[in-house]
């Protein structure tokens, strides 16, 4: 009964309202926790040790420490940690086999370049972070990821909407280094209009139509997404229960905004009449900006990145994200990595937080 009463709780220095969302709660008033690179497993320790040998040549941006994290399968994230947003790095592979090797393993004793099974040989979209370097994943293909999402949603009808951040990958290490390319490291196949047509088709075939909440649903009878907000308001929870909401970013995403009847939203610019989702990942320096924008948009920000907050047991970015009123807060630490510290984030009721008017 306690969740039915509006009560104040202090969590990591922030005041939180633990109130049950009702069917008439506007979507932009529900804040959820999302995982970052949600499919990813921790790299093998031999890979990390190998990369650290060359750390001074990789540069600060490519510090191997920054990829030393991983995630549980989706169903465990949803059921045990209240995650309601995920991120998928989608790699275009129209002919199949482009990502069948793990080239860094060529230099590491006892590590296989190829993995068992034929999933990577088939045409279709592959799920991985950094080709030939950070490739361990719970889902080799988009189809396998969608299969688990579909099954979970069917078993939990009426769930809060799940945001699916689709990052269309446009670059890998071999795209920046001719030396790596000569060693057999794979470049990224850029997304074009045909790739986005195929991506939509793969998503549609992997889920039931009634599981996807699309921009067409959002617009209702209005001419644009923003005019829907201005004239009707944000969709209410009853409109999006049990749905997946796909949001695109990445390689040549400008091509997608001209699609007729698209199934994905996209992260855009405040001047775009069909942009209702914005990326503002730096919650510390942009907290006030996010707070203002969250009145009219749904904002995705991050509470941590590159394992830094975990290694320092530092909650400052999490506190800034909470104070910013961003509705989607992405983390690698819904579960603590005790190798580093006890750092983990989450809401008092374990699932969501309502943003007070």
């Amino acid at each position: 009964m306690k969740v039915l009463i509006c009560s104040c709780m202090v969590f990591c220095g922030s005041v939180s309202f633990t109130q049950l969302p009702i069917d008439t709660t506007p979507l932009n008033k529900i804040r959820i926790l999302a995982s970052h690179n949600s499919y990813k497993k921790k790299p093998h320790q031999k890979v990390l040790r190998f990369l650290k040998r060359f750390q001074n040549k990789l540069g600060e941006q490519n510090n191997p420490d920054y990829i030393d994290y991983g995630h549980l399968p989706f169903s465990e994230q949803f059921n045990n940690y209240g995650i309601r947003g995920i991120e998928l790095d989608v790699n275009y592979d129209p002919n199949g086999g482009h990502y069948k090797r793990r080239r860094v393993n060529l230099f590491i004793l006892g590590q296989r370049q190829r993995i068992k099974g034929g999933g990577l040989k088939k045409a279709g979209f592959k799920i991985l972070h950094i080709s030939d370097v950070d490739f361990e994943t719970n889902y080799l293909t988009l189809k396998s990821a969608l299969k688990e999402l579909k099954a979970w949603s069917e078993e939990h009808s009426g769930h809060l909407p799940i945001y699916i951040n689709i990052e269309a990958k446009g670059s890998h290490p071999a795209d920046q280094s001719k030396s790596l390319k000569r060693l057999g490291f794979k470049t990224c196949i850029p997304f074009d209009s045909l790739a986005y047509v195929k991506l939509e088709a793969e998503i549609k075939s992997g889920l039931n139509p009634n599981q996807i909440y699309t921009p067409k649903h959002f617009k209702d009878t209005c001419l644009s997404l923003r005019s829907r907000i201005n004239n009707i308001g944000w969709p209410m929870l009853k409109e999006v229960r049990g749905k997946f909401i796909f949001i695109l970013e990445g390689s040549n995403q400008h091509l997608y905004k001209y699609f007729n009847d698209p199934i994905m939203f996209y992260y855009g610019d405040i001047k775009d009449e069909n942009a209702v989702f914005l990326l503002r990942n730096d919650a510390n320096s942009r907290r006030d900006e996010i707070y203002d924008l969250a009145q009219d948009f749904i904002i995705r920000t991050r509470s941590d990145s590159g394992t830094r907050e975990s290694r320092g047991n530092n909650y400052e970015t999490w506190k800034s994200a909470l104070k910013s009123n961003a509705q989607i807060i992405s983390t690698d630490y819904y579960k603590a990595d005790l190798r580093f510290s006890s750092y983990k984030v989450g809401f008092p009721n374990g699932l969501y937080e309502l943003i007070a008017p």
Side-chain angles (χ1 to χ4, degrees):
M1 294 295 294
K2 290 182 180 178
V3 293
L4 298 177
I5 301 172
C6 184
S7 61
C8 286
M9 298 182 65
V10 177
F11 185 77
C12 291
S14 171
V15 176
S16 169
F17 292 88
T18 57
Q19 183 183 22
L20 191 71
I22 58 176
D23 278 350
T24 54
T25 303
L27 181 61
N28 69 321
K29 294 300 180 182
I30 302 172
R31 167 187 278 162
I32 61 92
L33 192 68
S35 53
H36 163 252
N37 290 338
S38 314
Y39 56 88
K40 184 173 137 40
K41 291 182 179 180
K42 292 175 184 174
H44 196 283
Q45 285 302 307
K46 287 185 177 181
V47 172
L48 288 173
R49 284 197 296 269
F50 175 79
L51 293 174
K52 283 180 179 293
R53 289 168 53 193
F54 302 95
Q55 185 169 331
N56 61 335
K57 296 181 180 179
L58 295 173
E60 178 62 21
Q61 187 176 359
N62 296 309
N63 187 332
D65 286 346
Y66 297 168
I67 61 172
D68 190 9
Y69 65 90
H71 289 291
L72 298 168
F74 298 149
S75 57
E76 292 184 50
Q77 294 185 43
F78 298 157
N79 293 338
N80 300 337
Y81 297 95
I83 294 299
R84 289 298 181 267
I86 62 172
E87 182 180 36
L88 299 177
D89 285 343
V90 177
N91 295 263
Y92 187 36
D93 186 12
N95 299 315
H98 190 71
Y99 297 103
K100 66 183 179 182
R101 294 178 187 270
R102 298 171 162 189
R103 203 59 174 173
V104 73
N105 287 347
L106 174 66
F107 309 100
I108 303 172
L109 184 65
Q111 294 298 104
R112 295 171 58 91
Q113 284 193 71
R114 299 191 186 203
I115 61 173
K116 295 180 180 180
L120 293 180
K121 294 180 181 179
K122 297 178 181 178
F125 295 91
K126 308 305 188 297
I127 305 294
L128 60 94
H129 187 214
I130 304 173
S131 175
D132 297 300
V133 176
D134 189 18
F135 39 72
E136 300 292 353
T137 174
N138 286 306
Y139 310 93
L140 290 173
T141 65
L142 178 59
K143 289 179 180 177
S144 63
L146 293 171
K147 182 178 180 180
E148 181 168 340
L149 293 172
K150 179 177 183 289
W152 183 89
S153 182
E154 290 173 346
E155 292 172 3
H156 299 81
S157 60
H159 60 77
L160 287 179
I162 306 290
Y163 295 105
I164 302 181
N165 194 78
I166 295 286
E167 182 174 346
K169 295 292 281 191
S171 179
H172 286 306
D175 292 286
Q176 281 83 47
S177 170
K178 292 181 180 180
S179 297
L180 289 178
K181 188 175 180 180
R182 285 195 292 268
L183 288 171
F185 285 63
K186 288 296 184 180
T187 57
C188 204
I189 302 175
F191 276 69
D192 55 17
S193 294
L194 178 59
Y196 282 122
V197 169
K198 291 181 177 180
L199 179 59
E200 279 203 341
E202 197 156 300
I203 292 171
K204 289 178 180 178
S205 66
L207 299 172
N208 294 325
N210 63 0
Q211 291 178 305
I212 306 173
Y213 186 77
T214 70
K216 183 178 181 179
H217 296 136
F218 190 106
K219 280 195 294 188
D220 199 329
T221 58
C222 298
L223 296 178
S224 70
L225 302 185
R226 296 278 288 282
S227 63
R228 152 66 195 250
I229 295 171
N230 294 333
N231 293 298
I232 302 176
W234 278 88
M236 296 179 183
L237 179 56
K238 63 183 178 181
E239 298 178 54
V240 294
R241 280 195 181 276
K243 308 290 187 183
F244 294 109
I245 300 175
F246 288 85
I247 316 166
L248 175 69
E249 64 167 315
S251 174
N252 294 323
Q253 72 173 71
H254 65 279
L255 298 173
Y256 187 75
K257 67 188 296 183
Y258 300 109
F259 272 42
N260 291 321
D261 197 15
I263 66 169
M264 294 185 287
F265 297 83
Y266 55 82
Y267 288 108
D269 182 86
I270 59 174
K271 296 179 182 179
D272 187 336
E273 281 299 306
N274 282 308
V276 293
F277 292 92
L278 302 179
L279 279 174
R280 296 293 187 273
N281 283 332
D282 189 346
N284 285 321
S285 67
R286 308 186 79 169
R287 188 181 75 190
D288 293 341
E289 177 193 2
I290 294 170
Y291 187 91
D292 292 337
L293 290 171
Q295 309 302 314
D296 300 309
F297 299 88
I298 285 182
I299 314 295
R300 184 259 199 174
T301 194
R302 295 179 66 176
S303 63
D304 43 77
S305 64
T307 75
R308 286 176 285 255
E309 284 76 7
S310 177
R311 292 174 188 272
N313 202 25
N314 185 344
Y315 285 88
E316 290 306 311
T317 307
W318 166 248
K319 291 177 184 178
S320 292
L322 288 177
K323 290 176 182 177
S324 76
N325 270 359
Q327 297 92 337
I328 303 173
I329 303 179
S330 183
T331 182
D332 292 317
Y333 295 101
Y334 48 83
K335 180 177 184 290
D337 187 338
L338 297 178
R339 296 177 303 163
F340 304 142
S341 73
S342 61
Y343 175 85
K344 65 177 180 179
V345 301
F347 302 125
N349 70 7
L351 183 60
Y352 57 84
E353 182 175 76
L354 295 190
I355 298 175

